[in-house]
Amino acid sequence: MGLVSTVSGWTLPAVPAGAALHPYDLRCEHLGTPQGIATRAPRLSWRLASDRRGDAQAAYRIAVRSDGALAWDSGWIDSQDTSASYGGAPLASFARYTWQVQVRPADGEAAAAESWFGTGVLHPDEWAAAWIGHDPETLPPFEPPADDREPRSVRTGSLPAPRYFRRVVDLSSVTAVRVACTARGLYELRVNGHRVGDGELTPGWTDYRYRVPYQVYDVTDLIGDGPACVGAVLADGWWSGSLGWDGRQQAQRYGKRPELLVQLVADHADGSRTVVGTDGSWRESTGPLRYADLLMGEWYDARLEQPGWDLPGFDDSSWAPARVVDTGHDVLVPSAAEPVRVTEDLVPVETRRDGDGRTIVDLGQNIAGRVRLTLRGAPAGTRVTLRHGETLDDGGGLYTANLRSAEATDHYVAAGLPEETFEPRFTVHGFRYVEVTGHADVDLVGRAMHSDTPVAGELSCSDAMVRRLTGNIRWSQRGNFVSVPTDCPQRDERLGWTADAQVFLPTACYNADVAAFFTGWLADLRCAQTAEGAVPDVVPHVMTERHGAPGWADAATVVPWHLYRVYGDERILRDSLPSMRRWVDHVERHNPGLIWRNRVGSHYGDWLQAGVRTSRDVMATAYFALSADLTAKAASVLGLADVAERYAGLRARIGEAFVREFVSADGRVSGDTQTGYLLALAHGLVPGDLIPAAVGHLVADLERRGRRLTTGFAGVGLLGPVLSAYGRHDLAYDLLHDDRYPSWGYSIKRGATTIWERWDGWTEENGFGPVAMNSFNHYALGSVGEWLYSGVAGIGQEEGSVGFRRPLVRPLPGGRLRWAAAAYDTPLGRLSSRWEISGGTLTLEVRVPPGALATVHVPTTDPSSVRESGTPIGDRLEGAPGVAGIEAAGVSGSALVCRVGSGRYTFTAPWEH
Ligand code: BGC
């Protein structure tokens, strides 16, 4: 099968041009222009750009205003920091603040940029709205139509109908109107006939037991003087719908029926404020949406529409009063991350109609999302059914066996208009193919949905298969970052498996700015930690008996530490350190001998490894060492010397125990598997003098297998980094280009457009892999992405560097590649690298953001002949003054090493192959 090109509009935005130092991409709490900020001292940050070499910000000044009045002027602060905490007058609730940052270099003009943020509820006593729901007494339950094509879930009567709520408010002389809204369930908010906001599946999924996020919207433009209608549609979602593999049973751990909370706050010209919240005066009804479930799908009967239901003039006398079900606000938290949005429409690449009235549509790309269906000429009552699948079976039909109990089926019952469109809103499917039955004159587009984390990186190279791999990784990230980092988007699972998230995080951070996304998720992780300190295997926590798995629960240390290193926000460590400590202490308490042998819960080993069994004790103990190490580092960043010392000591003792127990005198690591060596080498668990031997055993294992990998989730992301660190990136490239089983290329040869859960998702010998667990969209094995950025293209940061203040640009030309390029938005600004080999010369173009001091390794077979923009620099090694802004620092392996400040550089170097 040929290579499918990557369909994607998910691209890195251009950096605003300007020769002199200027700020751009302003963020508040890691978000663009958030509306519901409720922290007292929000973090304001910006990126920098400049065309000047060696440029840096010497000072900044922030001014924050509300309604023209100055709320904070930081004054000029001499600092290179590109973030600051708001330090002005106390923020008011439901207000809009504009803020400006000015920056200036040591010797030049100041430049400014502006943005804004809106606040949510800063004082809990300002909540006036109650939770409302539907009164089961007042309306009969949904009677499923008698029809043999009904889905199982309807036959069992388990899917209740979503509710429509409305209330009319009379307003006059308003200057601003904002609405805070949330649900235990999913909501769509409407004001005067318009949909409010572009978020999907709001309010998103969190650990609802402790945290229910609310969103704030500015609806001033939708409201004039006179009566206004506020309406909402409310569906089950994660709260009371199917969740995981236990179906609706499992979901009932949150609640039985969804609940809605809306608070409208209108400011008037005379300075007064009207607050209207959900209460018993709201009216409710069922509507055209007969059911909506994340796993099962949606049923929409257009004949039941009630036109104008969300407008003030509508007669709602047949609607019932809503019931107040709760008046507490304790769990309400401001929404901390980007919402799920539709980010791209996919036009089908093929539409096939078969004789049985079935239409099979191929979007050409496996996505998470839904479709927008247009049908023409369907008589009233026609039921069109949409089934979704990731792949086709051998007969060309939709393959759905791997969805397990997820029906992933939507139904639309036509109203009988010449043309009708349908787009479900409270469900999401993982699919590439759609089967449409019930009507032939249809067409559709695929709508990709995911948490709309801003694109932060881009990667490309000369090899089509590697490009496809890069695209597959990005699409798996998009398909699985749906409010929480999930394992898969299609089957009855879609849970926040902690190892999957943890191993993929470094790759995820390169692709997108996931600071806000993971900060919220970490809050859920901490909420769910047991009294003993165990961390659940999935976050948000939904499976009572599963926690404490090595490599899974260690997300508690790995995620905060990595986020801190990438984004430089110390608060992540401050918030997480107690949880990190409790987790490490828990493992230690149960394993005083420091070999993590006594389980503290589940153990999945090196999950989905290929044909080997990595020692579980080796893997667990390596993670124990890593977690102790990261806890020590976090404590030290926070200035807690005693705590740091305690965990550093523990780390050292675990290391000794590891060596004693698992590393033999000839450098073998117990079990002799690739993942065993990779974990031990990556986490510094092999004594220095035995490292060459251990690397030798790892290499021998690869060679013995004809240069094939055996790694599962725990090892796969380490292959590239570890092999390159020990000078064997030739082997890493062989694995990258391999298309035999097991390899990434094998799935690509078969036409994969996302990363498969398992190496044997489909094989020539056996066809489809084990149906009980065979997702074609699972990102864990895509954690090779980190190495594509940091190794192949060479964009990373030095050990000890935080927030990319000291970038390390060390590309590794190799394999079949003639060129590779990557760009990445660090907290300082854009960092990029592009190398190309042509006619015995390697050209390396590098861009370094202002304020960063980069170490660049220019690969070459003759360091003394390296030039930058035509000027020799390789012959100035002995501290002689070099080209402005470049310091040639030495030779390392086959590279000339230099230090450069901000700016663009073009190095040329001899490259003999
Ligand atoms: C999930 C994984 C997860 C694993 C743990 C699977 O069902 O899909 O990705 O990490 O279970 O065993």
Side-chain angles (χ1 to χ4, degrees):
M1 214 172 289
L3 296 173
V4 189
S5 73
T6 314
V7 206
S8 179
W10 209 53
T11 48
L12 197 58
V15 175
L21 185 75
H22 56 284
Y24 73 102
D25 202 8
L26 277 52
R27 306 272 173 117
C28 173
E29 289 289 327
H30 299 285
L31 299 167
T33 45
Q35 299 242 36
I37 292 298
T39 31
R40 272 146 223 274
R43 178 185 200 261
L44 304 173
S45 62
W46 56 95
R47 293 193 158 94
L48 297 169
S50 160
D51 281 350
R52 294 200 320 177
R53 284 195 176 177
D55 212 354
Q57 168 191 299
Y60 70 82
R61 177 176 189 172
I62 297 175
V64 181
R65 290 189 167 74
S66 176
D67 279 336
L70 192 65
W72 184 43
D73 180 353
S74 69
W76 279 103
I77 311 237
D78 292 333
S79 166
Q80 294 211 352
D81 288 350
T82 55
S83 72
S85 295
Y86 173 79
L91 297 174
S93 300
F94 293 109
R96 181 181 166 117
Y97 290 85
T98 51
W99 66 283
Q100 185 201 52
V101 62
Q102 285 179 272
V103 303
R104 71 170 184 229
D107 58 347
E109 301 279 292
E114 258 190 33
S115 187
W116 61 271
F117 64 87
T119 48
V121 177
L122 281 138
H123 312 283
D125 59 3
E126 290 170 319
W127 281 114
W131 294 92
I132 57 171
H134 118 84
D135 191 337
E137 309 293 308
T138 58
L139 284 167
F142 171 49
E143 282 298 330
D147 183 325
D148 59 2
R149 275 180 27 223
E150 285 146 25
R152 283 193 299 277
S153 34
V154 171
R155 283 201 299 271
T156 58
S158 61
L159 294 170
R163 255 51 206 194
Y164 292 64
F165 293 84
R166 56 175 265 122
R167 147 101 209 239
V168 176
V169 198
D170 227 332
L171 295 169
S172 57
S173 344
V174 291
T175 51
V177 188
R178 295 172 182 97
V179 180
C181 187
T182 188
R184 288 169 165 148
L186 302 177
Y187 73 83
E188 182 182 293
L189 180 66
R190 313 206 41 110
V191 168
N192 285 341
H194 296 274
R195 181 176 168 198
V196 177
D198 58 0
E200 303 289 344
L201 309 180
T202 45
W205 188 16
T206 51
D207 196 328
Y208 296 135
R209 297 171 303 166
Y210 307 101
R211 311 170 60 238
V212 178
Y214 65 89
Q215 282 80 32
V216 176
Y217 306 97
D218 188 329
V219 297
T220 315
D221 291 347
L222 300 177
I223 285 186
D225 278 356
C229 178
V230 185
V233 191
L234 180 67
D236 286 323
W238 294 282
W239 169 264
S240 46
S242 312
L243 190 64
W245 53 74
D246 286 353
R248 300 183 59 82
Q249 200 94 17
Q250 167 93 25
Q252 312 264 314
R253 88 178 46 260
Y254 291 129
K256 280 196 165 56
R257 253 172 252 112
E259 302 166 10
L260 174 74
L261 185 138
V262 181
Q263 182 159 326
L264 174 140
V265 178
D267 289 334
H268 304 280
D270 64 0
S272 62
R273 192 165 248 198
T274 305
V275 177
V276 178
T278 31
D279 59 19
S281 71
W282 288 55
R283 314 278 295 168
E284 66 128 337
S285 167
T286 52
L289 205 47
R290 306 308 291 157
Y291 68 72
D293 184 272
L294 289 169
L295 301 183
M296 299 304 162
E298 232 174 77
W299 182 312
Y300 190 92
D301 189 336
R303 294 170 305 178
L304 302 176
E305 279 173 7
Q306 304 191 39
W309 73 272
D310 49 5
L311 290 171
F314 180 79
D315 174 10
D316 60 13
S317 54
S318 66
W319 287 35
R323 187 164 77 150
V324 171
V325 286
D326 184 7
T327 53
H329 304 111
D330 291 356
V331 292
L332 292 172
V333 293
S335 188
E338 299 84 1
V340 172
R341 290 196 179 99
V342 171
T343 63
E344 188 168 343
D345 283 344
L346 291 99
V347 177
V349 295
E350 196 188 338
T351 300
R352 191 160 44 83
R353 295 181 216 278
D354 68 14
D356 300 336
R358 233 189 311 262
T359 306
I360 301 251
V361 180
D362 177 3
L363 297 179
Q365 174 61 53
N366 198 16
I367 60 170
R370 62 192 186 207
V371 304
R372 188 201 288 132
L373 177 80
T374 305
L375 58 158
R376 279 168 296 264
T382 308
R383 173 153 31 120
V384 182
T385 298
L386 301 164
R387 294 171 64 231
H388 303 76
E390 292 185 287
T391 184
L392 299 179
D393 60 26
D394 293 342
L398 200 68
Y399 181 77
T400 56
N402 67 331
L403 306 185
R404 303 198 304 223
S405 72
E407 283 167 10
T409 302
D410 300 322
H411 303 269
Y412 177 77
V413 182
L417 305 174
E419 185 170 299
E420 303 180 39
T421 55
F422 164 60
E423 183 171 350
R425 27 188 168 164
F426 298 118
T427 192
V428 56
H429 311 297
F431 67 104
R432 166 175 170 173
Y433 299 90
V434 190
E435 179 206 81
V436 190
T437 50
H439 191 68
D441 192 359
V442 294
D443 51 56
L444 59 80
V445 289
R447 313 210 75 202
M449 278 160 68
H450 52 90
S451 286
D452 194 11
T453 54
V455 177
E458 221 166 48
L459 186 68
S460 194
C461 69
S462 57
D463 183 81
M465 194 179 86
V466 179
R467 278 202 305 275
R468 181 71 248 189
L469 172 63
T470 304
N472 291 4
I473 294 169
R474 289 166 83 83
W475 273 109
S476 279
Q477 176 164 339
R478 296 170 74 180
N480 281 295
F481 281 9
V482 179
S483 193
V484 305
T486 66
D487 57 336
C488 57
Q490 73 297 86
R491 68 179 178 226
D492 57 358
E493 189 153 359
R494 314 182 188 186
L495 300 175
W497 285 95
T498 42
D500 307 39
Q502 174 268 111
V503 300
F504 188 68
L505 180 67
T507 301
C509 289
Y510 276 115
N511 284 330
D513 183 336
V514 295
F517 179 78
F518 271 101
T519 302
W521 186 72
L522 275 180
D524 285 334
L525 182 147
R526 295 191 298 266
C527 284
Q529 205 165 358
T530 66
E532 269 216 285
V535 174
D537 300 357
V538 298
V539 170
H541 175 50
V542 290
M543 294 180 303
T544 31
E545 293 315 321
R546 295 203 195 203
H547 51 74
W552 270 250
D554 296 287
T557 60
V558 175
V559 175
W561 178 254
H562 192 78
L563 293 179
Y564 165 69
R565 274 211 70 202
V566 171
Y567 301 110
D569 186 349
E570 258 184 47
R571 295 176 309 172
I572 296 170
L573 295 184
R574 216 175 303 139
D575 292 344
S576 289
L577 185 65
S579 143
M580 299 167 88
R581 295 180 62 180
R582 289 175 55 224
W583 165 240
V584 174
D585 294 351
H586 179 57
V587 178
E588 187 189 8
R589 206 177 314 117
H590 288 267
N591 294 280
L594 304 184
I595 297 301
W596 183 355
R597 183 166 282 137
N598 302 323
R599 288 205 188 182
V600 294
S602 355
H603 202 328
Y604 306 105
D606 185 19
W607 190 241
L608 298 176
Q609 53 202 318
V612 296
R613 252 185 92 80
T614 290
S615 154
R616 291 190 161 200
D617 295 350
V618 166
M619 176 185 150
T621 309
Y623 265 105
F624 186 19
L626 174 64
S627 278
D629 184 40
L630 301 183
T631 306
K633 288 184 167 134
S636 138
V637 170
L638 297 174
L640 303 169
D642 294 358
V643 181
E645 204 181 307
R646 135 119 179 87
Y647 289 94
L650 175 63
R651 160 64 185 82
R653 285 182 291 116
I654 300 170
E656 285 156 20
F658 186 97
V659 173
R660 250 192 333 269
E661 188 75 20
F662 301 127
V663 185
S664 52
D666 65 352
R668 255 175 227 285
V669 172
S670 243
D672 206 20
T673 65
Q674 293 172 17
T675 293
Y677 288 110
L678 293 167
L679 286 167
L681 288 162
H683 303 316
L685 294 164
V686 180
D689 56 330
L690 294 181
I691 288 177
V695 173
H697 295 306
L698 168 64
V699 168
D701 184 85
L702 283 158
E703 295 288 6
R704 200 163 45 238
R705 297 169 189 279
R707 300 195 163 193
R708 270 180 245 219
L709 56 77
T710 61
T711 47
F713 284 22
V716 69
L718 302 175
L719 280 163
V722 170
L723 288 168
S724 323
Y726 297 105
R728 292 310 306 266
H729 59 275
D730 60 314
L731 279 168
Y733 269 110
D734 282 350
L735 300 174
L736 182 66
H737 293 317
D738 198 2
D739 64 4
R740 303 160 302 169
Y741 171 81
S743 67
W744 298 281
Y746 189 74
S747 69
I748 291 169
K749 237 187 0 186
R750 166 78 184 166
T753 61
T754 37
I755 301 293
W756 292 355
E757 173 175 28
R758 45 198 313 141
W759 298 114
D760 61 353
W762 182 93
T763 58
E764 267 139 48
E765 282 147 23
N766 304 321
F768 287 114
V771 73
M773 217 186 72
N774 196 18
S775 140
F776 292 103
N777 197 355
H778 235 77
Y779 49 57
L781 297 180
S783 25
V784 60
E786 178 192 16
W787 180 72
L788 298 178
Y789 276 99
S790 67
V792 172
I795 287 188
Q797 62 178 329
E798 291 202 55
E799 186 79 39
S801 158
V802 172
F804 284 80
R805 291 227 155 242
R806 283 188 287 124
L808 177 62
V809 179
R810 185 167 51 189
L812 297 170
R816 296 198 291 254
L817 303 188
R818 278 183 301 101
W819 63 268
Y824 173 65
D825 280 341
T826 74
L828 288 172
R830 185 151 304 170
L831 174 68
S832 70
S833 145
R834 182 184 194 283
W835 59 264
E836 174 154 17
I837 296 164
S838 156
T841 300
L842 180 140
T843 306
L844 172 65
E845 292 163 350
V846 177
R847 174 180 186 161
V848 178
L853 182 60
T855 302
V856 180
H857 290 236
V858 185
T860 180
T861 38
D862 178 8
S864 65
S865 308
V866 174
R867 291 165 176 260
E868 194 286 318
S869 299
T871 310
I873 56 165
D875 55 353
R876 301 175 192 240
L877 280 177
E878 301 306 321
V883 177
I886 306 179
E887 181 203 327
V891 173
S892 159
S894 49
L896 175 78
V897 183
C898 28
R899 297 241 149 70
V900 301
S902 77
R904 294 167 199 261
Y905 303 85
T906 303
F907 301 94
T908 45
W911 185 261
E912 306 299 337
H913 239 334

